[in-house]
Amino acid sequence: MRGHFITFEGGEGAGKSTQIQRLAKRLRKDGQTVLVTREPGGSPGAEAVRHVVLSGAAKTMGPEMEAILFAAARSDNVEQVIKPALEAGTTVLCDRFMDSSRVYQGVSGGVDLEFILSMERAVTEGARPDLTLIFDIPVELGLARAAEVWADDGPDRFESEELEMHEKRRQGFLDIAEEEPDRCVVIDASQSLKDVSAAVDAAVTEYLERKQAAQTDD
Ligand code: T5A
């Protein structure tokens, strides 16, 4: 049976990486086989592209080219890592996925959404998320948290942008959640670590129960 595919989305410093590790631990304790991956990155090829896009080296090529690079990295991660794991029945948790391209390159980057969606359809065939947790946090709080973990070289290509850009992204993620309520759950990421974890657990449990009920009906 195909594994569950759960993606974590949202703005900078929202706590996705922290919560993905906590959820992985919890699901493993419950007996599930879990794989954690991230984007851009995940596979060796995609990690190489990650360095190019996050260093800002591709910025001068324009937002369309950056969108293509993110899609290329996603394609490699999907083919090399995500699909084989799902087919083996593994639960895959991915730190950012297709919604980040819709929001960062589309909503705030100005790249034509249809162009982004056409790449998305090609690249994610057979690997569409079953559940997407959208971590919502006031922009200033998220950036302050992200700043705690910046390495010596400071913010990356996207973190360093204007507040207005980050606000647009926050709204972009909320819009996706509203348009696709069957797949998306908004998590109030401004809460304490414990409360965010409880919200994540509740959303995942609800999804797993819904899935199990649907299988029983079949
Ligand atoms: N991108 C990505 C695109 O433009 N297009 C795409 O298609 C894709 C896939 C990725 C960048 O690439 C862009 C988006 C991004 O700008 P990244 O380094 O992977 O870059 O960055 P992020 O995913 O944004 O990771 P961050 O580290 O910024 O945020 P997280 O993972 O949401 O936050 P996390 O867990 O690292 O937490 C940050 C700090 O806050 C603390 C943690 O301990 C940590 O110190 N924290 C909390 N503190 C208090 N209360 C809580 N509830 C807390 N939760 C976490």
Side-chain angles (χ1 to χ4, degrees):
M1 198 167 60
R2 179 189 183 271
H4 308 289
F5 186 22
I6 304 176
T7 56
F8 287 56
E9 297 277 9
E12 312 294 335
K16 301 176 297 300
S17 314
T18 306
Q19 291 298 333
I20 216 167
Q21 294 303 338
R22 290 172 79 113
L23 179 64
K25 209 167 150 188
R26 188 210 124 187
L27 294 176
R28 284 182 186 127
K29 223 169 131 191
D30 290 349
Q32 290 198 37
T33 309
V34 179
L35 178 118
V36 176
T37 184
R38 68 169 182 185
E39 294 209 345
S43 61
E47 288 291 332
V49 178
R50 176 183 175 92
H51 176 69
V52 174
V53 277
L54 296 194
S55 67
K59 192 177 175 184
T60 52
M61 297 181 213
E64 277 81 9
M65 182 54 85
E66 285 183 314
I68 291 167
L69 288 171
F70 278 112
R74 182 160 304 126
S75 174
D76 201 55
N77 194 27
V78 164
E79 292 306 322
Q80 303 296 325
V81 176
I82 296 174
K83 263 198 211 166
L86 291 174
E87 281 159 16
T90 299
T91 294
V92 176
L93 309 180
C94 190
D95 194 343
R96 296 192 181 278
F97 196 60
M98 61 190 197
D99 299 308
S100 283
S101 285
R102 292 190 199 175
V103 168
Y104 279 75
Q105 282 63 58
V107 174
S108 64
V111 177
D112 178 54
L113 192 59
E114 199 34 59
F115 177 62
I116 288 174
L117 292 177
S118 64
M119 288 194 291
E120 175 185 305
R121 283 191 291 272
V123 161
T124 65
E125 206 196 323
R128 304 285 291 181
D130 300 303
L131 173 67
T132 296
L133 302 175
I134 298 208
F135 281 59
D136 182 54
I137 191 166
V139 165
E140 271 117 342
L141 178 56
L143 288 173
R145 283 187 190 168
E148 288 168 26
V149 286
W150 284 338
D152 292 342
D153 45 358
D156 69 30
R157 146 90 180 87
F158 296 97
E159 287 163 336
S160 62
E161 285 176 324
E162 300 292 321
L163 278 186
E164 194 194 336
M165 206 73 136
H166 293 287
E167 294 287 2
K168 269 192 183 174
R169 290 173 187 155
R170 182 182 185 194
Q171 191 54 50
F173 282 116
L174 291 174
D175 290 344
I176 291 173
E178 204 176 311
E179 284 155 20
E180 299 186 43
D182 290 348
R183 167 174 73 89
C184 301
V185 175
V186 177
I187 303 289
D188 176 0
S190 66
Q191 305 177 94
S192 69
L193 271 176
K194 203 168 146 238
D195 289 344
V196 178
S197 290
V200 168
D201 282 353
V204 172
T205 301
E206 197 274 331
Y207 156 75
L208 291 173
E209 284 174 357
R210 197 160 25 101
K211 192 91 179 181
Q212 200 169 23
Q215 272 158 8
T216 312
D217 288 348
D218 285 348

